[in-house]
Amino acid sequence: LLAIDGGRTVLFANPASPTGRKRMTVYVSHDGGKTWPVSRLVDARPSAYSCLTQLADGTIGLLYETGEKDCCETLTFARFNMEWLKAP
């Protein structure tokens, strides 16, 4: 979990597939985690543990485990802004 904007906005990341550890997805809540109306797929490959942070320039960093055949082959870093996250 990552709280930004003074805690009004909360981000959460996890593998979002009901059938296995894959589809790393980031979710956005604007009400402190009560609802999660926005989500964005970051990586469709196998994935596992992740960590979110807000970088000095205001963008969001996501470090997560991923791989081609297994969820724990490598660590990958993704960087995005809130505009990308909220885009349709």
Side-chain angles (χ1 to χ4, degrees), residues 22-83:
K22 56 187 173 185
R23 300 187 54 81
M24 181 57 66
T25 302
V26 176
Y27 301 86
V28 181
S29 173
H30 297 290
D31 56 14
K34 293 177 185 170
T35 62
W36 301 89
V38 177
S39 65
R40 184 83 188 255
L41 177 68
V42 175
D43 193 330
R45 299 178 297 166
S47 56
Y49 293 103
S50 63
C51 184
L52 287 160
T53 190
Q54 187 167 28
L55 303 170
D57 66 357
T59 59
I60 307 300
L62 172 66
L63 182 68
Y64 61 100
E65 294 177 311
T66 190
E68 295 302 321
K69 296 180 182 178
D70 184 67
C71 64
C72 303
E73 294 172 16
T74 188
L75 288 174
T76 297
F77 182 76
R79 182 181 196 150
F80 49 88
N81 57 32
M82 290 301 293
E83 289 77 23

